Amino acid sequence: MKSLQVSTTINGDAAEFLCAPDETLLDVLRNRLGLTGAKEGCGTGDCGACSVMLNGRLVCSCLVLGAEAEGAEIATIEGLAEGDVLHPLQQAFIDHAALQCGVCTPGILVAAKALLDRDPDPSDEALRYWLAGNLCRCTGYDKIIAAVQAAAAEMRGARDVA
Amino acid sequence: MVRVRLWGSLRRAADGLEEVEVRAGSVKEMLDALAEAHPGLAPQIARGVSVSIDGVIYREAWFTPIPPGAEVVLMPYMTGG
Amino acid sequence: MSLDEYSRREFKQVGTRPRRPDGVDKVTGRAMYGADASAPGMLVGRILRSPHAHARIKAIDTAAAEALAGVKAVITAADFGLPDDDFTRDVQDNCMARGKALYDGHAVAAVAAVDAATAKAALKLIRVDYETLPHVTDVDAAMAPGAPVVQEGRALENVPAGMSANVTSHCEFGHGDPAAGFARADRVIERHFTTAATHQGYIEPHACLASVSADGKADLWCCTQGHFFVRTLCSAILGMEASQLRVTASEIGGGFGGKTTVFIEPVALALSRKAGRPVKIVMSRDEVFRATGPTVSTSIEVKIGMTKDGRITAGEAHLRYSGGAFPCATVEMGGQAAFAAYDLDHVRTYGWNALTNRPKEAAYRAPGAPQAIYAVENVIDELCLDLGLDPLEVRLKNAATKGTKSSYGPTFPAIGLVATLEAAKAHPHYTAPLAEGQGRGLSCGFWFNFGGNSCVSLNVNTDGTVGVTEGNPDIGGSRASISLMAAEELGIPYERIRTIVADTASLGYNDVTDGSRVTFAVGLATIKAARAAIRLMCERAAKIWGIEADAVEWKDGAAVPAGPNAPADVARRDRRGLVRDRRPDRRPPRGQCRRRRRQLWRPSGRCRGRPRDRGDQDPALHDLSGCRQGGASRLCRGPDAGRRGAGHRLGAERGIYLWRRRAVAERGLSRLPHPGRLGPAEDRHGDPGNPQSRPSLRGARRR
């Protein structure tokens, strides 16, 4: 199969890559671009560990072909912090011990940010529904919910001040 | 002398005894003495056993001394998840 | 260390909730898991798996796959030797089927190719000639006469004659006379339970990267709960010396027991050896579920007798476990744990393991215990319901406690079950009103602690911070606990300690991260290491000050002269020296040159030059009189040391003193905990009052 050339923007930087027509965006990110923050837990869109943003939409990158990213803007976990300043979600996950093994954490952070971008003040129920597509095996989900809510509150506060 | 308690299925290999007595000062000496006195126990000892000495479970602790009068219980080799 | 020592001790660090040291890497995507490693020239490994639950492998034709462009190696069981011992052979046979495929998903061949597409295409070109055989997947069916035999000749000497060839082991635990106990009961209930071979379900599939060089040296990077055990297994399977295989544990994306053995690692090593290039294998989720360890599947009968007032008169369980297609001893854990929570006069458990055409069992959270306990607790609940008794009160009434002869033999030392039940009873959740559809229940559980081999290296760095090197993959935050314990013992802040998990070439042998042993056993090793470091530093301080070793005490992260043997002026002079030493304009103490003194004031604490080699003494202890340049862990002992107050740095140049000062000044901590007199600290670990075993630092067990 002939490789396809794809031009994208990843975390704000222009990125070009070659990929096979049947290659997933996750494989491209991990194996061709060295962005190993997104994980493959299932390869079938069940676990959410590979969550990334594609043109502002939360997707499982294991279910997206690399070729579909042509012209797209992609955001991954590697772009969440600004330099050495952690995103409030990242900080809240550490402060609230919302991670243990951490392999699901990048996906959950990307997914949580996607929710807070559209709803800065979600109910616990809305949050749990939203994160239902991200499986965590270690921590249980309560700390994750608490961390996201704490980050949301902090982000709302920052927004109000601004 | 050390009195060693055996678990149920080991007793058949030790003439039906629930407890056997051997002369030993350490775990290794005890295991060697057990295998010698009761050859039926040898295969299990070779596969691995844990030893409880006064309620503390040891896995590999051949040179751990066995205090006089200690409660010594043979247990299967422990593994965990 | 006795329990008393700890119940009296006021902890400053242990019990706090610091941020986990791996947190930032894990929230930024920087943490490296099994599948995140890569190497130049790396090939992609893929495994061909049996589509049959049970089949004889008559032939495997790999010629077409080998001929495919881009394929660099193809292997089958023929590429492995035949280990002597059953345990290693079973692990190997599970990684690559030899003669028979024993379950659906059993590996039969593997390829390494330049990319995933080529590897996948190559798998399709491998021709396996199977003769399918009848299979059995249910443990009771496997034990029935006439069942398909999974493996011949695997029964241990403890299996009674006349049982199905699939039965591999039998065990029996307990004491008393259950029949007599049942006769005294007001109510006896017997029930049958089955549990499925559920999978550990870690989110991270198994992954590894193997690189074998032409001279036989090999590196293996993998996600595992025990890389030393991986080395033991892989070196045995590959016929290598352990020293030639260095295994590095990646961050681990969950294990729950399932990553305590190997599945793909020997395959990747064999492929790499054959191809002469690094090979990476990453399992798909499908492969994880088909071919890695689930827990045992079980079939259990439990019979319990109880009086009207809730006293259990006898308990009996028949446990039939299957660990899949290979023998396993997990039923022994179930047999010991089933009734262990209770103080019973009459108790008996009987266990059997039987082979089935299922994946080989791997440990899973207290392997074998939850299944048996689940059955026992169900029957106890039903008895409570029947007799109109409160399930918590009944458990309190029967709870094992100090002095109870456990159902598996030993007499319990102090244990916490009653306290736990009392706490549950007092908890608001136990009496909170229930909404419709809500329920409330409780269960007792049990697991052992067996300590295990642990090795820790603790180093005081040139700037006085501390590095702890441990050898157990951190599956639950143990690096934080280990750092906390080191901080507690040393009396320095948690933040000044970094604990890492070292590879197999960098540390002595460590048992697997399993059985809830790591924080306990590695923690004890860490405490020993910290106390040894303190002892050494105090001895050095004594030499510097020219006083007796027992006149030096470790306090607030620093060695200080103390006690009746310490000349009173030593402390005073030392304090003066420290203060003066920080003044850049002060003249150097007699016997030391200006250059050396300047070096001490450098923020980095770094000194140029090589330590003077003195073969006749501790290599880290150098005589610095007359201006010797020294290395990081140097001590100064000039002719005026102790009299002119040179600011004696103990192993750490400046750091430890500075902490002490900071701790006092910034935090207002007047007194950090003191580890006590620094005698043979290790003796304390063997306190017979301690219900846990202690770690031993002996060599690896050949399994």
Side-chain angles (χ1 to χ4, degrees):
Chain A
M1 280 183 292
K2 204 176 165 190
S3 288
L4 304 170
Q5 184 180 345
V6 179
S7 302
T8 61
T9 304
I10 300 179
N11 298 327
D13 297 328
E16 290 198 357
F17 56 83
L18 291 172
C19 71
D22 62 350
E23 199 168 332
T24 66
L25 176 59
L26 178 61
D27 283 345
V28 168
L29 290 172
R30 291 180 50 83
N31 301 337
R32 294 188 186 265
L33 302 176
L35 295 169
T36 54
K39 308 298 180 193
E40 179 168 319
C42 65
T44 49
D46 291 294
C47 76
C50 64
S51 299
V52 301
M53 300 299 287
L54 182 71
N55 291 327
R57 190 175 157 210
L58 180 65
V59 296
C60 287
S61 58
C62 73
L63 298 183
V64 177
L65 293 174
E68 291 181 88
E70 171 62 33
E73 293 211 0
I74 297 165
T76 71
I77 185 65
E78 285 89 350
L80 192 55
E82 286 191 26
D84 64 349
V85 179
L86 295 181
H87 187 276
L89 276 165
Q90 293 172 313
Q91 190 60 51
F93 267 58
I94 296 173
D95 294 343
H96 290 260
L99 65 135
Q100 186 171 313
C101 85
V103 81
C104 68
T105 307
I108 292 182
L109 286 168
V110 168
K113 179 169 186 297
L115 174 64
L116 299 188
D117 283 348
R118 65 161 67 183
D119 179 1
D121 190 9
S123 66
D124 277 3
E125 190 178 18
L127 180 49
R128 285 177 187 274
Y129 268 105
W130 182 269
L131 291 180
N134 292 83
L135 302 183
C136 169
R137 176 73 171 89
C138 302
T139 62
Y141 296 94
D142 283 0
K143 289 177 172 180
I144 292 170
I145 302 303
V148 176
Q149 290 292 24
E154 190 193 327
M155 290 162 69
R156 286 195 304 274
R159 199 170 292 123
D160 292 346
V161 171
Chain B
M1 295 300 276
V2 178
R3 290 181 71 80
V4 186
R5 193 176 299 158
L6 306 175
W7 75 83
S9 35
L10 278 190
R11 293 170 199 162
R12 272 193 299 278
D15 310 318
L17 295 170
E18 184 178 345
E19 287 195 331
V20 294
E21 238 182 6
V22 292
R23 185 173 298 281
S26 69
V27 169
K28 175 83 167 84
E29 288 169 10
M30 179 195 76
L31 296 179
D32 289 348
L34 278 176
E36 197 185 328
H38 303 279
L41 297 174
Q44 178 65 51
I45 289 171
R47 279 196 298 275
V49 289
S50 308
V51 178
S52 166
I53 303 175
D54 286 331
V56 180
I57 302 170
Y58 297 85
R59 230 172 27 172
E60 284 104 6
W62 277 2
F63 313 115
T64 301
I66 301 176
E71 178 197 70
V72 179
V73 183
L74 223 52
M75 293 171 65
Y77 187 81
M78 294 282 143
T79 55
Chain C
M1 271 164 282
S2 69
L3 286 173
D4 284 350
E5 182 190 341
Y6 281 111
S7 56
R8 282 200 304 269
R9 182 161 164 182
E10 189 190 337
F11 291 108
K12 291 291 193 294
Q13 313 255 9
V14 169
T16 61
R17 300 172 73 100
R19 288 177 183 154
R20 53 186 310 136
D22 48 338
V24 171
D25 282 354
K26 286 179 174 176
V27 298
T28 54
R30 191 180 336 202
M32 297 277 286
Y33 293 85
D36 297 339
S38 57
M42 183 174 84
L43 302 171
V44 174
R46 285 283 186 276
I47 295 173
L48 184 68
R49 299 186 178 280
S50 165
H52 307 294
H54 197 189
R56 195 173 314 285
I57 300 169
K58 291 160 72 180
I60 303 179
D61 180 0
T62 59
E66 283 161 355
L68 184 67
V71 171
K72 302 298 178 186
V74 181
I75 60 165
T76 66
D79 291 86
F80 294 94
L82 200 58
D84 295 334
D85 69 294
D86 289 353
F87 183 90
T88 308
R89 198 169 58 243
D90 282 349
V91 172
Q92 174 181 314
D93 287 350
N94 188 45
C95 293
M96 191 60 69
R98 186 169 48 88
K100 281 209 298 186
L102 297 172
Y103 55 90
D104 176 300
H106 199 167
V108 294
V111 303
V114 291
D115 56 33
T118 307
K120 207 168 137 187
L123 290 187
K124 287 186 179 160
L125 295 174
I126 296 173
R127 295 276 165 262
V128 184
D129 185 4
Y130 292 107
E131 176 198 345
T132 56
L133 301 168
H135 65 268
V136 59
T137 55
D138 176 82
V139 60
D140 287 327
M143 288 178 68
V149 176
V150 179
Q151 291 194 54
E152 299 274 1
R154 298 308 304 270
L156 294 180
E157 76 287 347
N158 55 31
V159 176
M163 300 198 78
S164 154
N166 289 320
V167 178
T168 59
S169 66
H170 168 66
C171 61
E172 192 183 318
F173 298 92
H175 55 255
D177 177 7
F182 289 126
R184 281 206 291 279
D186 294 312
R187 180 87 173 91
V188 176
I189 289 182
E190 183 171 8
R191 291 285 178 265
H192 175 239
F193 301 86
T194 57
T195 65
T198 49
H199 196 273
Q200 292 81 350
Y202 32 82
I203 305 290
E204 178 201 29
H206 298 263
C208 70
L209 170 61
S211 182
V212 184
S213 63
D215 62 359
K217 283 201 282 293
D219 273 279
L220 179 66
W221 166 286
C222 60
C223 56
T224 174
Q225 287 177 237
H227 46 307
F228 286 88
F229 192 44
V230 169
R231 182 184 67 177
T232 302
L233 291 172
C234 287
S235 57
I237 290 170
L238 275 287
M240 304 171 65
E241 289 179 3
S243 62
Q244 299 307 301
L245 174 59
R246 179 174 64 165
V247 185
T248 306
S250 68
E251 287 292 338
I252 179 170
F256 313 100
K259 290 178 183 166
T260 54
T261 183
V262 295
F263 299 101
I264 52 176
E265 292 82 356
V267 177
L269 283 164
L271 284 170
S272 175
R273 182 160 68 182
K274 199 164 185 177
R277 285 167 67 171
V279 173
K280 179 170 167 178
I281 298 181
V282 180
M283 273 191 163
S284 67
R285 175 59 55 182
D286 181 66
E287 288 180 287
V288 169
F289 281 154
R290 285 173 74 199
T292 68
T295 186
V296 286
S297 56
T298 75
S299 174
I300 300 171
E301 279 106 27
V302 167
K303 182 178 178 184
I304 299 176
M306 197 179 274
T307 60
K308 277 183 216 160
D309 63 351
R311 179 73 192 140
I312 299 173
T313 59
E316 194 175 282
H318 294 259
L319 310 164
R320 294 177 297 279
Y321 284 23
S322 177
F326 297 88
C328 81
T330 303
V331 71
E332 293 171 351
M333 305 298 143
Q336 292 174 94
F339 290 100
Y342 301 111
D343 181 5
L344 305 178
D345 293 331
H346 308 288
V347 58
R348 191 81 82 244
T349 57
Y350 306 87
W352 290 267
N353 182 74
L355 301 176
T356 53
N357 293 110
R358 289 180 171 278
K360 186 178 193 299
E361 175 247 19
Y364 183 1
R365 282 188 163 171
Q371 291 85 352
I373 292 169
Y374 156 76
V376 166
E377 293 295 294
N378 263 290
V379 174
I380 292 178
D381 268 356
E382 192 178 340
L383 281 162
C384 293
L385 208 61
D386 248 32
L387 297 166
L389 300 167
D390 181 279
L392 197 154
E393 294 297 342
V394 165
R395 286 175 171 87
L396 263 176
K397 181 170 262 179
N398 294 284
T401 184
K402 185 177 179 175
T404 296
K405 184 182 178 183
S406 68
S407 55
Y408 61 92
T411 304
F412 281 126
I415 56 171
L417 178 57
V418 170
T420 307
L421 286 167
E422 295 284 6
K425 193 172 155 185
H427 196 280
H429 285 181
Y430 197 66
T431 46
L434 294 173
E436 198 183 327
Q438 289 185 330
R440 178 164 40 219
L442 82 151
S443 162
C444 293
F446 173 84
W447 188 245
F448 316 84
N449 186 298
F450 43 78
N453 298 297
S454 306
C455 179
V456 156
S457 165
L458 185 146
N459 294 297
V460 181
N461 301 322
T462 53
D463 63 352
T465 57
V466 169
V468 180
T469 307
E470 60 152 321
N472 276 97
D474 176 354
I475 55 174
S478 56
R479 276 166 296 192
S481 352
I482 300 304
S483 290
L484 274 173
M485 283 182 264
E488 186 76 51
E489 286 295 326
L490 293 167
I492 65 173
Y494 164 83
E495 291 75 17
R496 292 206 162 81
I497 295 174
R498 182 171 182 186
T499 298
I500 64 147
V501 179
D503 64 67
T504 55
S506 304
L507 199 65
Y509 183 85
N510 280 269
D511 279 334
V512 173
T513 297
D514 72 346
S516 302
R517 72 169 209 91
V518 170
T519 301
F520 171 70
V522 180
L524 282 181
T526 303
I527 291 167
K528 279 188 181 184
R531 292 183 179 185
I534 288 171
R535 192 165 61 236
L536 274 175
M537 289 191 282
C538 285
E539 284 168 11
R540 293 177 183 188
K543 287 178 179 169
I544 290 166
W545 288 323
I547 60 178
E548 294 299 314
D550 66 358
V552 177
E553 208 175 46
W554 190 260
K555 204 186 276 181
D556 304 345
V560 291
N565 291 338
D569 58 338
V570 169
R572 181 172 52 76
R573 285 191 309 243
D574 178 58
R575 272 198 299 277
R576 191 186 60 202
L578 269 171
V579 172
R580 287 186 182 176
D581 199 36
R582 291 171 66 78
R583 286 190 215 143
D585 59 346
R586 186 180 168 264
R587 288 169 49 125
R590 201 185 309 158
Q592 297 199 354
C593 76
R594 184 175 292 275
R595 179 177 168 199
R596 160 154 169 72
R597 191 166 54 74
R598 275 202 310 274
Q599 285 165 342
L600 288 175
W601 295 323
R602 280 190 192 168
S604 68
R606 187 161 44 92
C607 287
R608 280 193 298 268
R610 296 158 60 90
R612 184 172 138 192
D613 186 18
R614 305 258 315 210
D616 59 340
Q617 63 183 52
D618 179 347
L621 179 62
H622 305 284
D623 187 336
L624 292 162
S625 61
C627 180
R628 301 292 175 201
Q629 296 174 10
S633 57
R634 152 197 64 196
L635 296 177
C636 47
R637 178 167 181 185
D640 284 339
R643 282 195 284 279
R644 299 298 293 262
H648 310 292
R649 272 71 181 174
L650 305 174
E653 289 290 350
R654 25 196 316 268
I656 287 178
Y657 268 105
L658 296 184
W659 294 327
R660 174 188 168 213
R661 295 151 66 86
R662 276 185 210 142
V664 174
E666 295 168 18
R667 295 182 163 201
L669 298 177
S670 58
R671 191 179 174 85
L672 291 171
H674 182 256
R677 282 248 58 88
L678 298 163
E682 50 270 47
D683 291 346
R684 300 173 188 194
H685 300 288
D687 189 312
N690 188 331
Q692 317 283 24
S693 85
R694 59 176 168 167
S696 84
L697 296 174
R698 292 176 193 108
R701 172 180 185 266
R702 288 276 306 175
R703 302 183 63 159

